[in-house]
Every structure is written in structure tokens, then in C-alpha cells.
Amino acid sequence: MALEAKYSSKNVEDKWYSYWLEHNYFHSEVDERTPYTIVIPPPNVTGVLHMGHMLNNTLQDVLIRRARLKGFNACWVPGTDHASIATEAKVVAKLKADGIDKATLSREDFLEHAWEWTHKHGGIILEQLKKLGASCDWERTKFTMDDDMSASVIKVFVDLYEKGNIYRGYRMVNWDPEAKTTLSDEEVIYEEKQGNLYYLEYKIEGSDDVLTIATTRPETILGDSAICINPNDERFQHLKGKKAIVPICNRVIPIIEDEYVDIEFGTGCLKVTPAHDENDKALGEKHNLEVIDILNDDASLNSFGMHYQGKDRFVVRKEIVKELQGMGVVSKIETHMHKVGTSERTGAVIEPKLSDQWFLKMKELAQPALDAVLEKDVKLVPEKFINTYRHWMENVRDWNISRQLWWGQQIPAYFYGDGKEDFVVAETLDAAVVKAQEKTGNKALTASDLKQDPDALDTWFSSWLWPISVFNGILEPDNDEVNYYYPTNDLVTAPEILFFWVARMIIAGYEYRGEKPFTNVYLTGIVRDKQRRKMSKSLGNSPDPIDLIGQYGADGVRVGMLLSSPAGNDLMFEEDLCKQGSGFVNKIWNAYRLIDGWEVSAEKEETETAAIAIKWYKSKFQKTLVELEDHYGKYRISDALMATYKLIWDDFCSWFLEMVKPGYQEPISEKTFKQIIAILEDNLKVLHPFVPFISEEIWQHITDRTPEEALIIAKWPASEAYDTQLISDFEFASEVISGIRTIRKEKNISFKDEISLSVLNNDNAPTSFDAVIAKLGNISEINYITEALEGALTFRVKSNEYFVPISGTINVEEEIEKLSAELKYTEGFLKSVQGKLKNERFVNSAPEKVVAIERQKEADALSKIEMIKTSLASLK
RNA sequence: GGGCGAUUAGCUCAGCUGGUUCAGAGCACUUGGUUUACACCCAAGGGGUCGGGGGUUCGAACCCCUCAUCGCCCACCA
């Protein structure tokens, strides 16, 4: 049955994905083979596939499929992340839409809603990955809130607490007033914003003097507890030891001195608000100042806000300025650019806030993880990220791991009293009771006396264990699975989460396995649109990957993504690339259609052309195999694809198939055909990681295969020595063919008209491809001659001259002009080469090899000039 | 404010140890083609003082200095 001229991906892709699943090829179990493991960067459980995932997972699938073909026990562990803030925010919004306020719900009820939401929307993204062809071991699918995963998190928390790495601290934290939770420093995004710098006058107690301070947040004056000046500031010597009066609330506050104050900035006077600024807090502690917190959790003012109580800080900012202006204490308002911290998740402006939170000490834990990367035990690709990584790890700050959320692992700290230290940390309530009894000496304490800390842990506190916990290596550190699969091989992820996730996994790896979690970290680029904007749902500039797959096929989209994705560089995604991808897929399809349509004859002999073509292609293939090895080894996946692309499109389709193609309506020799099929099969193997579907389709179409013979589990082509001479001889021959084509075109000689070719064999032109030249150039005969042929069209390849005798078609003047131009160019070239060789310093200092090359160039140019001159003479 | 990186063809990017991979690839573009797989095709062609300037060297896209522009990361300037 004839195959369709246009490849249609739809049915083919579903068919083979089901087939692969049915035969369990993606599943990995511990065996005697060497493992090759990748753990997926778990996407948000309720998320949908975006272009970033697409890139990421295509790369992982390429790596895993190639490893599978190379005979490794390939294991790609999929899963999702509970994404506490993002998911909780979605659930809260959904409840709100249903008229339910989270505050009215109990923790249990809320979690029930959250789970319901998770089950409803969860896992969509994993289904989408299947469309892409991702060959994950779905039996191993994990969720960061699975029971065992959560148990691992709790165990680690307790362990780190007992080792003294986790502490509870009253600290200035980043407060997200929208989500009403703290954020880690990494979750705060600083944006340059236009604000105002307000100059406010404070009265000096017991005098009519005023001093002026500058602030960007005038509402915080209600929380002021001092004014600070630089002791070296000449202007303010008279203020030392005095007191100032805060406008509106009339609080009397001391004027303190500290060299921290920048004399140059603003007025040189600084108001100190310890509750709402990190630096002020430090000053406050140093000078023993009162801490006045004026904000509620939703960033409205509390009772310290007096008549502003209950109003949002930004509303108050406007109103208080008016009031202050009315009092005549605003001396100046300047516009001022400053950085404002916003929440990564909700976009709300962050307020620094003092509160009790849980922290993980990082300095010590980070050390082995830093060393691992610096010593390249863990390799970052591209290497430029090493510096960024080092900088971060050397200046790592303690990690705020508590979140005022319910969706996540609840912190296993149990309070038995109101005191700051009245708590114990334990894996279970029962264990907590025992510990509490021991700690207090009160044997009468029961479970009902204990109250668990309501906060949940930061999501990253579960995902940092991912490479270990997916193999249950926390709960059972010595199990066969983790011992076999860990450390994993490659991690493919976005550079944005190098600190959030990658660095912390390395830390956890050393802390809990004494070993790195992965050997290589491949950091992909950020997918951007043509205007260099990051592709995101909110901007609406991201195409839906599933639509793209529908349009171009998964294979086409995979190729499109990979065509332009050098590691670590951002990639400008254009839909045209997918078009190119599906074009490539179609090309492969049609190459197969050609072969598939041939009539095979056992009687027919192998032609000379076919014999040399097969030998040549095998060499070319082997050479490409070596290049592929190099590219893959350096994670240059797009280069690997491009090398494969050229091998198939140029070498296989444009050259090889043209060479072996039988004549019109002629059968092909069975011997040749068998070899072509073997070559095609090898091609399919190297293509498979990039275009898994069409490669399997063709593979299975060639002949009936048992499930054990599927392409997905075939053996990567074996490396063999290859003939470089043959490859360069072919390149020579291809130039000859191109010369013939040029002449045909220039003289309008149809391909159907046979012509003859004569070679002035100055340079021992290789003859191995003469049959090919004859076939592809439609040459009746090739003659080797010792004297120039008169009255013929000529062209040159290296220093051989070729003649095509065409009577009556030669325009002598045109030929002379052409030759003269070539002569002039060659003479100029010779001059520059000789100039180099005359330079003694070049000859003396350059390596011998380089000089020899120049001498060869000189000799070639000389003989070429001689030849052109002869031709010219004969024409005249 | 500190650090890292980039700047090469219209676009996206290679260019590894300074010299045969040295000015390249893919796409786009122009021109010409219904030769028995593919117009998602075939062939040919145009296009770049390698961001500017200076230096080192026999020799620089590559090393050094400097300027410019862009990007990223980190950081508490009110």
C-alpha cells in the first residue's frame, strides 16, 4: 500500500505512545545494568504546561531516550510539587468566588477543599507531558505531599532541629500582606518604582527648633522610636542628647548618634522605626529602642495608627501626607526612584515585619555543596553559573522555612505553654508528649495540652529532598532503590531556580546521603518571545504547547524547541521553528516513502555507484556519531540535533539516496536494498531521541517487529573506524558535480542530455567516485587527459582542470573574461601568501605546521595560475 | 552599590588552545527549476570593517586596557 505523501502525526503519535506504555518500556527496576537517572523538576501540581516546561522536558526526554538506547537502565522519575503559596492562593480565590472566607474555615475543612482542588486539577500537566512524548516512568510518579514524602520532610525537620540547625527566631521577615505569610528572601522580587521622598519636620523638645528627616514611607512615623544622626555631622552637634517629638502622635523620642547614617543622603537625619525596617531594627537593638509595630497582618494600621486604624498603608500614606501638610511640617516632596520588594506569587508589596519564624542555619550546611561545585564534582552547564552559585553560597543567609499557610507540611513543633521556649519538636504527637513530659518534668501532660505550630513549611523544604525522597532514601536510607539510582545523573532545569532548588538539593544531598544528588546540572535558557519578553501566561504571549503539538506534531515541536536552545542562553521562540521541525519530520517520512516504493530484485547486481555510496555513507555516519558523542557530552543538544539534521537531510537524502536510487522503473538490487535498510535503521536510532514518534513508526513499518525489537529499546549504533580519505574524496567529487551543474545551468544544457567530461590530471584527482560523478552529472564517460582540451568549457577543482567539450556553444570572450578574473584573484591570493612567507619573523616564530600549510598554499596557487594561463593561451 | 555575562549576516546563534573549521551554520531573502520521495522540494546567489577605540603579537573575532549598549544575579541606603 502506498504511503501518504504528507506525514500525519496525530494518529501515529497516540498509537506509539500507547504501545510504549503497554509494553512498559518507560519503567525501570533495579537490575545489573548501570543506571541513568533523571528526576523531573516537579511542576506545580495544578499547573498547566508552558513553553518553559516544554523545553525542559524535551531535553530530558532526549537525554533519557538516548541513554535507553545506549543500554543504560534509564529511569526518569516524574512528579509534581504542592506549591504551597500558589496553590493555597488559588484555593482561597476559588472559595472566595463561592462566597466562602478562608478565615471562617477550620484547618481541616480548608485542607479538604485544597485536596479536592488538587485532585480536580492535579496531574493535568503530566498528561500533557505524555503528548510531548515524555518517556517518564509513570509508575514512579510522586507528589511532594504524598504520605511518604511528607514523612520524609518531617523527619528531616526534626533531625535538623535536634542537630541545632533549625531555630525559632524573632526576626525581620518579608511579609506578604496579601497571602498573609512570610516569604524567603528568594521569593521577593525587587522592582524599581517611582516614589516620593517626603521631608518632614520634627520639633525638638523644649525649643522652637525643628529637624528635618526624609522618608519614603511617611505612615511609619507612627512607629518611630528615635531619630538618628551621624556623630560626625557638624550640622547637628547642637542636637546631641536632645529629644524630638513625632508629629501627630506627639511621641517624644531620643536623638541617637550612629555612624551608620549617611551624611550625604537626604537631610542627614534618619528616623528609626525598628518594627518596619531591617536596618532600623539593628539600630534599635544597638541603642535599645522601643519596637512599635503599627501594622496588622493585612498591612492595615493597628491601634498605633490612631485615627488611621484599619486603613491600608497606602491609603494612610496619602492621607497622612495631607494631614502633615495641614500642620505645615512637610517642607519638601521630591520624586525618588527606589526598589520596592514585591511578592513573587501575589505581587503584593512586601512589608518588613518582625515575627516569630523558623529558620535553617545555612552557612555550615552550604559548605560541602559549595565545594562540590567548585571542585566540579557537580558540574554546572554552562560553567558561567559557577560564579553566580559561588557568590550566593558564600553569602548565604539563614533560610526562613516557615509559612503562615495551611497547604503544606505542618511544622512538627508542639507548644505546651505560652513561653517562647515552651515547645518540643517531634515527628509525632505521641513522641511530642513524651518529650514535653521530659522537658517540663510534668508527667501529667497529655496530647490535649499540646498545640501544634499552625505554620506550614516552605515548599522548597520538601522539594530540596526530591532526588532522595523519590527513592524513599530519607525514611529508609539503606534501601536498594536509593542505593542504585542515587546519585542521579543529569538535572535539567531553569537557571531561575538555581538557588531556590538546585543549591538546596545539593545541600540536602550531602547532609542526608553524604553524596551529591546529581552529577550534571544542565541549566536551560528562559523561553522568550520575539520582543525578548519572558513567555508567561499573564502576558498572554505564550502559545499553548498543546495547540502547537496539534498543529506541528510532537516531533515537530520537539525539533522546533531544540533548534535554538543553547544551554543557559535565553531562547527566542518563534513558531516558525516548529514549522521547520515538522518540515524535517516530513523529509524523513518522504525519504522512507522513496525507499519503501522500490521494487527489489534478487537477480539485480549491485551497481558500482551504490557500492561506493554505501561505503561512503557508513563512514560519514560514523564520523557524525563521533561528533554526536562530543555534543552530547557537552550538553550541546541543539548542536547534536543540527548534526543529525544535516546528516539526514544533506548526506542521506540529498546525496546518498540520489546515488543509490535505481533508474526509472528499474528494480533495485536486493543486496543494495538490504544495506540501505540497515543504514536507514541506524539513522532511525540516532533520530529517535529527537523525533521518537516518526522514528518508531518507520522502524515498525520496515518489517514486523516483536515488542522486544521496538526502536525505543534498540541498541545505539556501534562505533566503528571510518575512512577519512573516502570522505574527503567524496567532498572532491561533490565539487566536481557542482561544477558540472554550474556549466549545465550556464549553457542551458538539460540534465537529460548526456555530456562527457575530461580531466587534466595534474593532482591525481581521486577516481573512487567517478561512477557517482557519472550518475549524478549524467556523464557519458570520464577521460583522463594529459593536455588541455581545446574549445571546451572548463572548471577547476583544487588543481585539477575539468573540460566539458560542447561544440559550438563556447563564447570565447566570455570564457576569457571568466578566466582572467580567476587569474587575478589567484595572483592576489598568491601575493598575500608569499608576503607571509617572506616575513622572516613569521617563518621563524610560527609553528612548522602552519608554515608548511602556507607553503602548500603557495604551490597550489602557482600551479593553478599556470593552468589558467595555459587555458587562456589556448582560447586565444 | 557589588558581581557575572553578552555584543559576529536581516533573525537566532556556533566559532574549543591566537594560525586549515576563520569569517561559519540554520532560518529568512533573491534568482532559476514540474528530472520517476518530498514545493514542508531541488539548485545557485547576495549579504559581516566580528559593538567603538587603543594595546600585545610575525599573526587577533579570540589575549590585555578602555569606552558604549544590553541582560542577569546579589545587596539594608532612609
Side-chain angles (χ1 to χ4, degrees):
Chain A
M1 193 177 69
L3 298 167
E4 297 279 329
K6 215 164 192 170
Y7 172 71
S8 115
S9 57
K10 283 188 181 59
N11 304 330
V12 169
E13 294 184 351
D14 288 346
K15 177 177 71 183
W16 293 117
Y17 202 85
S18 308
Y19 180 83
W20 292 329
L21 280 180
E22 194 187 313
H23 292 96
N24 225 13
Y25 299 124
F26 303 161
H27 182 58
S28 165
E29 274 173 30
V30 175
D31 65 20
E32 69 293 340
R33 288 176 296 168
T34 309
Y36 173 88
T37 317
I38 296 181
V39 291
I40 204 168
N44 290 3
V45 62
T46 61
V48 289
L49 201 67
H50 63 236
M51 296 307 287
H53 295 127
M54 190 89 152
L55 169 62
N56 220 3
N57 289 293
T58 300
L59 286 164
Q60 290 174 75
D61 197 47
V62 168
L63 294 173
I64 208 89
R65 282 182 185 271
R66 179 161 178 275
R68 200 177 283 124
L69 291 171
K70 292 208 98 179
F72 292 99
N73 185 352
C75 180
W76 183 10
V77 183
T80 49
D81 185 293
H82 65 279
S84 61
I85 295 184
T87 307
E88 179 151 334
K90 280 182 199 163
V91 175
V92 168
K94 191 251 172 195
L95 289 171
K96 201 173 171 186
D98 294 348
I100 304 172
D101 181 2
K102 180 191 164 192
T104 65
L105 293 177
S106 70
R107 186 184 194 106
E108 286 65 33
D109 290 344
F110 177 82
L111 286 177
E112 209 167 293
H113 281 109
W115 275 110
E116 195 185 306
W117 174 270
T118 300
H119 290 137
K120 191 171 164 200
H121 301 279
I124 292 174
I125 195 161
L126 300 182
E127 290 308 310
Q128 292 178 312
L129 285 177
K130 293 178 182 174
K131 293 269 174 242
L132 184 63
S135 57
C136 302
D137 184 351
W138 300 109
E139 288 176 36
R140 295 181 176 273
T141 305
K142 286 285 182 182
F143 175 48
T144 50
M145 276 186 42
D146 286 345
D147 289 345
D148 55 335
M149 301 295 276
S150 286
S152 301
V153 169
I154 298 304
K155 183 176 173 189
V156 162
F157 182 96
V158 173
D159 178 63
L160 287 170
Y161 176 77
E162 283 171 355
K163 288 193 283 203
N165 293 312
I166 286 178
Y167 63 93
R168 189 169 156 81
Y170 187 62
R171 291 274 210 95
M172 186 69 68
V173 290
N174 307 297
W175 183 259
D176 178 341
E178 180 132 356
K180 297 199 185 80
T181 180
T182 59
L183 301 177
S184 69
D185 294 335
E186 290 72 35
E187 288 165 313
V188 179
I189 314 232
Y190 287 90
E191 289 172 7
E192 188 90 358
K193 279 195 181 164
Q194 173 93 40
N196 291 319
L197 194 55
Y198 302 90
Y199 289 79
L200 308 178
E201 291 173 352
Y202 285 39
K203 278 199 175 117
I204 306 296
E205 191 188 33
S207 103
D208 289 338
D209 265 5
V210 293
L211 65 77
T212 309
I213 57 94
T215 180
T216 53
R217 297 190 296 164
E219 71 279 8
T220 62
I221 65 169
L222 301 171
D224 284 356
S225 46
I227 298 286
C228 189
I229 56 171
N230 190 309
N232 305 317
D233 195 333
E234 297 297 331
R235 297 170 296 177
F236 302 126
Q237 295 300 322
H238 63 289
L239 297 176
K240 287 187 177 175
K242 299 256 173 75
K243 289 192 162 146
I245 301 167
V246 181
I248 300 178
C249 67
N250 293 323
R251 186 183 308 122
V252 178
I253 55 173
I255 294 171
I256 59 169
E257 298 161 44
D258 200 291
E259 293 189 348
Y260 162 75
V261 176
D262 183 348
I263 296 176
E264 303 296 321
F265 189 88
T267 61
C269 288
L270 173 71
K271 72 190 213 41
V272 185
T273 322
H276 298 289
D277 186 279
E278 179 90 47
N279 303 305
D280 290 15
K281 189 205 168 214
L283 274 176
E285 279 169 0
K286 194 166 158 191
H287 298 274
N288 225 345
L289 300 173
E290 193 184 351
V291 176
I292 305 162
D293 188 342
I294 62 164
L295 292 180
N296 292 317
D297 286 352
D298 62 356
S300 64
L301 271 67
N302 61 20
S303 60
F304 283 106
M306 304 167 63
H307 45 286
Y308 295 110
Q309 183 172 358
K311 289 186 179 173
D312 182 78
R313 64 205 190 284
F314 294 124
V315 174
V316 176
R317 184 168 303 171
K318 280 188 190 141
E319 293 183 4
I320 204 168
V321 168
K322 275 190 194 141
E323 182 177 356
L324 291 165
Q325 279 173 324
M327 295 164 66
V329 298
V330 180
S331 62
K332 192 162 61 165
I333 302 177
E334 279 178 354
T335 58
H336 176 67
M337 288 301 285
H338 62 140
K339 295 264 176 103
V340 178
T342 59
S343 165
E344 193 196 25
R345 289 293 168 206
T346 66
V349 173
I350 297 304
E351 289 296 328
K353 185 178 157 72
L354 280 166
S355 65
D356 283 311
Q357 301 292 338
W358 294 91
F359 293 90
L360 176 61
K361 287 184 196 165
M362 294 298 276
K363 193 84 200 160
E364 243 174 78
L365 287 174
Q367 195 57 49
L370 173 59
D371 295 342
V373 168
L374 293 184
E375 286 157 17
K376 303 207 177 159
D377 195 21
V378 174
K379 292 189 203 71
L380 301 189
V381 181
E383 290 193 344
K384 67 177 180 187
F385 286 107
I386 295 174
N387 281 328
T388 319
Y389 180 88
R390 181 176 65 200
H391 189 252
W392 193 77
M393 290 296 258
E394 282 173 351
N395 299 289
V396 67
R397 293 150 58 116
D398 287 356
W399 175 12
N400 172 207
I401 51 174
S402 47
R403 296 289 179 277
Q404 286 63 55
L405 298 167
W406 284 342
W407 182 240
Q409 287 91 14
Q410 192 173 358
I411 291 176
Y414 299 84
F415 289 83
Y416 50 80
D418 296 329
K420 288 220 158 183
E421 298 302 321
D422 295 348
F423 68 86
V424 290
V425 168
E427 283 182 50
T428 61
L429 181 56
D430 291 345
V433 171
V434 175
K435 281 190 178 172
Q437 286 175 348
E438 280 168 8
K439 191 170 166 188
T440 58
N442 179 1
K443 293 286 169 205
L445 271 177
T446 66
S448 59
D449 296 317
L450 295 183
K451 207 172 147 258
Q452 188 172 0
D453 189 310
D455 289 355
L457 285 161
D458 181 8
T459 304
W460 299 104
F461 196 82
S462 53
S463 41
W464 77 322
L465 305 175
W466 188 249
I468 308 172
S469 55
V470 295
F471 300 115
N472 202 24
I474 296 289
L475 300 180
E476 292 173 38
D478 199 28
N479 79 70
D480 289 347
E481 292 242 313
V482 75
N483 288 338
Y484 179 71
Y485 291 111
Y486 189 98
T488 69
N489 296 72
D490 299 330
L491 179 80
V492 181
T493 192
E496 307 163 283
I497 54 175
L498 183 59
F499 307 130
F500 274 119
W501 192 47
V502 180
R504 287 168 181 165
M505 278 192 288
I506 302 176
I507 292 173
Y510 282 97
E511 186 65 14
Y512 285 99
R513 299 294 305 170
E515 202 175 1
K516 62 191 173 187
F518 27 71
T519 305
N520 302 292
V521 180
Y522 177 107
L523 295 154
T524 66
I526 294 168
V527 183
R528 299 179 180 277
D529 67 7
K530 271 179 122 173
Q531 284 112 58
R532 294 197 164 266
R533 296 175 307 176
K534 186 174 167 180
M535 279 193 172
S536 72
K537 234 166 73 179
S538 52
L539 269 173
N541 59 348
S542 176
D544 180 349
I546 298 303
D547 287 350
L548 288 177
I549 290 174
Q551 214 174 330
Y552 302 101
D555 285 337
V557 175
R558 289 165 68 109
V559 170
M561 294 266 18
L562 293 176
L563 274 173
S564 177
S565 64
N569 281 353
D570 288 357
L571 102 95
M572 293 333 122
F573 179 80
E574 288 179 49
E575 214 173 303
D576 278 359
L577 290 172
C578 293
K579 215 187 247 175
Q580 196 185 339
S582 65
F584 181 50
V585 170
N586 192 54
K587 182 76 181 174
I588 300 168
W589 179 247
N590 273 291
Y592 178 62
R593 256 186 82 211
L594 174 67
I595 297 170
D596 185 59
W598 285 333
E599 188 196 327
V600 182
S601 156
E603 282 84 56
K604 201 147 186 239
E605 297 264 310
E606 180 157 87
T607 64
E608 200 185 330
T609 321
I612 190 74
I614 288 166
K615 264 173 84 177
W616 164 74
Y617 187 81
K618 281 184 173 171
S619 274
K620 187 75 195 187
F621 183 86
Q622 283 296 331
K623 190 173 180 225
T624 307
L625 218 49
V626 172
E627 284 168 23
L628 286 179
E629 207 64 33
D630 184 47
H631 290 318
Y632 275 114
K634 292 172 179 156
Y635 294 87
R636 298 172 152 210
I637 308 300
S638 25
D639 286 348
L641 171 60
M642 191 43 76
T644 310
Y645 185 96
K646 286 187 197 165
L647 174 77
I648 299 304
W649 201 303
D650 299 340
D651 298 318
F652 183 70
C653 294
S654 297
W655 286 111
F656 177 73
L657 289 180
E658 292 300 330
M659 288 188 246
V660 298
K661 202 189 239 182
Y664 185 48
Q665 292 193 336
E666 278 176 34
I668 190 163
S669 135
E670 189 178 13
K671 183 183 171 199
T672 307
F673 187 76
K674 279 184 174 161
Q675 295 176 85
I676 293 170
I677 292 296
I679 282 172
L680 174 66
E681 288 181 340
D682 275 351
N683 285 345
L684 292 174
K685 290 173 186 172
V686 297
L687 280 167
H688 185 260
F690 303 112
V691 286
F693 294 107
I694 191 173
S695 53
E696 185 78 77
E697 166 75 6
I698 294 176
W699 177 267
Q700 301 274 358
H701 196 276
I702 290 171
T703 179
D704 285 339
R705 316 258 184 187
T706 65
E708 289 70 38
E709 294 164 344
L711 177 59
I712 186 174
I713 51 161
K715 288 274 159 289
W716 187 259
S719 287
E720 285 164 24
Y722 58 90
D723 188 341
T724 46
Q725 185 61 44
L726 202 60
I727 292 172
S728 70
D729 284 358
F730 171 76
E731 272 159 24
F732 189 99
S734 75
E735 280 186 54
V736 175
I737 292 165
S738 152
I740 295 165
R741 283 176 179 162
T742 306
I743 283 183
R744 283 187 182 277
K745 193 178 170 186
E746 278 177 3
K747 297 298 165 195
N748 230 338
I749 305 164
S750 159
F751 179 78
K752 285 170 185 150
D753 299 331
E754 257 188 354
I755 51 179
S756 77
L757 183 71
S758 298
V759 191
L760 184 58
N761 202 5
N762 270 355
D763 193 29
N764 298 322
T767 58
S768 41
F769 285 90
D770 280 1
V772 171
I773 294 171
K775 179 169 184 184
L776 300 189
N778 198 15
I779 300 295
S780 54
E781 53 176 347
I782 300 177
N783 306 309
Y784 286 83
I785 53 177
T786 48
E787 268 182 38
L789 210 62
E790 291 197 15
L793 298 166
T794 65
F795 63 90
R796 265 161 297 282
V797 176
K798 298 235 157 59
S799 31
N800 290 292
E801 186 159 28
Y802 287 79
F803 300 87
V804 179
I806 310 277
S807 53
T809 54
I810 299 172
N811 181 332
V812 176
E813 270 175 39
E814 218 174 74
E815 281 298 298
I816 290 176
E817 203 175 303
K818 224 171 78 185
L819 287 172
S820 306
E822 204 173 345
L823 181 64
K824 199 176 164 195
Y825 174 84
T826 314
E827 281 173 340
F829 178 76
L830 178 67
K831 209 174 157 191
S832 88
V833 172
Q834 287 178 333
K836 235 186 214 181
L837 287 168
K838 268 184 209 143
N839 183 338
E840 270 179 44
R841 283 191 292 185
F842 169 74
V843 178
N844 293 338
S845 2
E848 230 170 273
K849 201 177 136 196
V850 175
V851 179
I853 286 160
E854 291 300 318
R855 291 208 192 285
Q856 185 59 49
K857 278 187 195 166
E858 185 189 25
D860 288 350
L862 281 170
S863 83
K864 193 167 176 185
I865 287 167
E866 204 48 47
M867 248 167 40
I868 298 173
K869 280 184 176 161
T870 316
S871 301
L872 274 172
S874 76
L875 279 169
K876 280 165 186 165

